[in-house]
Amino acid sequence: MAAKSSKDIRSESRFMVLRSVYVHGTVTRAQISAETGLSPATVTTLVGELVDEGVLREAGQISSQGGRPTATFQANPRRGTLLAVDVAETYVRVDLFDTSLDRLDQERVEIPQVAHSIESVAAHIGDCLGRLRGRHPELEDSLLGAGISLPGQVDPVRGVDVFAPNWGWHEVPLMEALEAVVPVPIRIDNPLMALATGELWFGAGRRFRQFVAVNLGTGVGAGIIVDGQLLRGRGNSAGEWGHTTLIWDGRECRCGRTGCVEAYVGVEGIRATLAEIAPEHDLLAVPHHRDFIERLMRAEAAGDDAAREALMRTGDYLAAGIGNLVNLLNPEHVSVLGWITRYAGSELQQRVRDRIAQECLPGPSGTVGIEFTEADGEGVSLGMAVLALEAFLERVGLPSPSSPAVPAPSTGRDRPRTGWAVPHRGH
């Protein structure tokens, strides 16, 4: 691995300072220094840069024994607003955040479980955004940027969706259609990277520097955090754990291969397990993914033997898959996230906890903690808001190490003219 440059070290240090402020709300320079291990002089310089840009602000002063009062700092919600867009196979959700990363508003539209074009996806985003603009006329002058999560393997550097199997996307260009409806600088990514970013800033990343964030939903994946930074890989496809082989020559997966983890613990994998147990079960006719999982959980609670067996087998598959991650990466911690944990959390959790020690080597299993977080899509939105904020900081010359090296956004000469503007620096 190449040695870090002074620019890399400065970016990483700035990232640590910013995260410390966002995690704790209001902090002193001394508290930031103690938490991050950075020298007081470095913290003072970096806090000053972020205050000058208006991202942080002085919150007040606290008295100190026999000395000068100590300044406290917090994120500045008045610096501007950010859009976080979560495009999933069954919905489009647009959240509005301020620069303290507090959610201000949200619009959501359900979409059919069919193949979509990027143009139809962009139209749904535009509809949601139009409703938000109707309620928030101040967006004309306050929007700093947007983070947009799209399904599949997304390459932010090239601006394409490399592969989204549910929609049959291969090397689909994204930016032109998205920029037509979101007329501010855009950062694209996929939900796995977004979820892992949110967990890095506000979840397990507050306690661990080596951890894995497992996402359970329609698809599955694993965000990998190494030494406090998100591992993206050469083409932004690191963490495609869902498409590693769990069972040789097993079920067909939507990626075109067989035996993948996702074919057993994703929604359609759970449906396939139920079909193997009870081919005539009524729940197999429920098309909507969330409805299917929620009804399966209710059926299990009501004493449905087939539903219970399906969930128990899913827990076994999940434990085996997580065990592979633990053996391979030896993390301090595994966070299991995603909407499936909300709808069928307790049954899956207990089964995984019962089985995980059998699926790991004694060394790694003895040091790793596993935690289930019952979030319902909040992590993706929050992660994309963070990425939008990081992209804004890069544009004003304060880069973060966690984002891919994305080319500068297009200029006003080749962007649609809508009257929206990025505000000047302010406090």
Side-chain angles (χ1 to χ4, degrees):
M1 181 181 294
K4 293 180 180 179
S5 67
S6 59
K7 182 178 178 181
D8 292 335
I9 294 171
R10 190 175 183 83
S11 294
E12 183 175 351
S13 298
R14 187 183 298 110
F15 174 76
M16 293 164 66
V17 168
L18 200 60
R19 269 180 52 201
S20 180
V21 175
Y22 276 92
V23 165
H24 296 291
T26 301
V27 291
T28 66
R29 296 185 187 94
Q31 288 171 327
I32 295 172
S33 180
E35 177 172 300
T36 62
L38 298 172
S39 71
T42 297
V43 170
T44 296
T45 299
L46 296 176
V47 167
E49 290 178 353
L50 293 165
V51 169
D52 286 345
E53 188 48 57
V55 176
L56 300 185
R57 67 181 181 184
E58 189 171 325
Q61 295 187 333
I62 55 177
S63 61
S64 59
Q65 295 180 348
R68 296 170 56 189
T70 300
T72 61
F73 297 88
Q74 62 185 198
N76 179 14
R78 294 188 172 186
R79 182 58 183 90
T81 54
L82 303 161
L83 291 174
V85 182
D86 177 11
V87 177
E89 281 89 350
T90 59
Y91 65 87
V92 172
R93 168 176 165 169
V94 180
D95 288 73
L96 178 66
F97 289 83
D98 64 25
T99 39
S100 68
L101 296 183
D102 283 337
R103 184 179 286 102
L104 303 176
D105 205 348
Q106 176 191 119
E107 277 290 339
R108 175 175 171 142
V109 60
E110 300 294 324
I111 60 176
Q113 292 177 211
V114 297
H116 294 269
S117 66
I118 184 56
E119 289 76 17
S120 67
V121 167
H124 288 304
I125 295 172
D127 290 343
C128 292
L129 186 51
R131 291 191 288 274
L132 287 175
R133 290 176 70 182
R135 295 196 296 272
H136 299 275
E138 71 277 9
L139 291 186
E140 295 287 342
D141 298 317
S142 71
L143 266 178
L144 303 178
I148 302 179
S149 166
L150 296 118
Q153 296 178 14
V154 176
D155 187 339
V157 176
R158 295 190 296 126
V160 301
D161 202 308
V162 178
F163 181 43
N166 271 9
W167 291 349
W169 285 9
H170 295 268
E171 293 290 324
V172 173
L174 302 171
M175 299 309 293
E176 182 177 357
L178 295 175
E179 288 177 341
V181 297
V182 184
V184 291
I186 293 170
R187 167 63 50 85
I188 60 171
D189 221 312
N190 66 27
L192 177 59
M193 295 302 179
L195 200 70
T197 298
E199 189 70 1
L200 176 60
W201 275 60
F202 298 106
R206 298 169 61 177
R207 296 170 287 149
F208 305 103
R209 291 183 62 80
Q210 321 283 343
F211 71 92
V212 178
V214 170
N215 179 33
L216 297 182
T218 299
V220 302
I224 301 167
I225 308 300
V226 178
D227 197 22
Q229 294 189 35
L230 175 61
L231 179 66
R232 288 182 172 275
R234 182 175 179 84
N236 201 50
S237 64
E240 287 293 345
W241 164 72
H243 298 292
T244 59
T245 301
L246 181 65
I247 296 178
W248 176 253
D249 201 25
R251 296 174 186 164
E252 289 188 7
C253 180
R254 60 180 183 156
C255 74
R257 300 169 61 249
T258 60
C260 294
V261 171
E262 185 173 297
Y264 292 86
V265 302
V267 175
E268 290 304 321
I270 298 172
R271 191 193 302 273
T273 298
L274 179 61
E276 290 174 355
I277 296 165
E280 304 299 324
H281 201 289
D282 292 344
L283 289 179
L284 296 174
V286 177
H288 193 276
H289 287 171
R290 290 181 187 242
D291 287 348
F292 169 71
I293 294 297
E294 187 174 12
R295 294 185 191 186
L296 184 68
M297 180 185 71
R298 290 205 302 261
E300 189 276 338
D304 186 315
D305 290 339
R308 175 174 175 74
E309 179 62 20
L311 286 171
M312 294 305 98
R313 288 192 195 178
T314 299
D316 293 344
Y317 295 138
L318 181 57
I322 292 176
N324 289 341
L325 285 172
V326 171
N327 287 338
L328 180 65
L329 299 171
N330 190 22
E332 301 172 89
H333 180 81
V334 177
S335 293
V336 185
L337 312 160
W339 63 263
I340 282 184
T341 63
R342 174 183 176 89
Y343 288 91
S346 59
E347 295 82 3
L348 284 175
Q349 288 180 39
Q350 191 56 51
R351 188 64 168 191
V352 170
R353 294 187 191 285
D354 289 344
R355 294 276 304 187
I356 193 67
Q358 303 173 42
E359 303 295 343
C360 302
L361 293 171
S365 68
T367 58
V368 70
I370 298 178
E371 182 177 44
F372 288 77
T373 301
E374 297 183 7
D376 187 19
E378 302 297 316
V380 172
S381 293
L382 185 58
M384 288 315 303
V386 169
L387 290 172
L389 175 63
E390 290 185 356
F392 165 71
L393 294 176
E394 289 169 10
R395 291 193 298 275
V396 299
L398 302 175
S400 159
S402 67
S403 298
V406 180
S410 54
T411 67
R413 288 176 296 177
D414 55 9
R415 296 178 67 85
R417 296 184 179 274
T418 64
W420 286 33
V422 175
H424 295 292
R425 146 182 332 184
H427 300 275

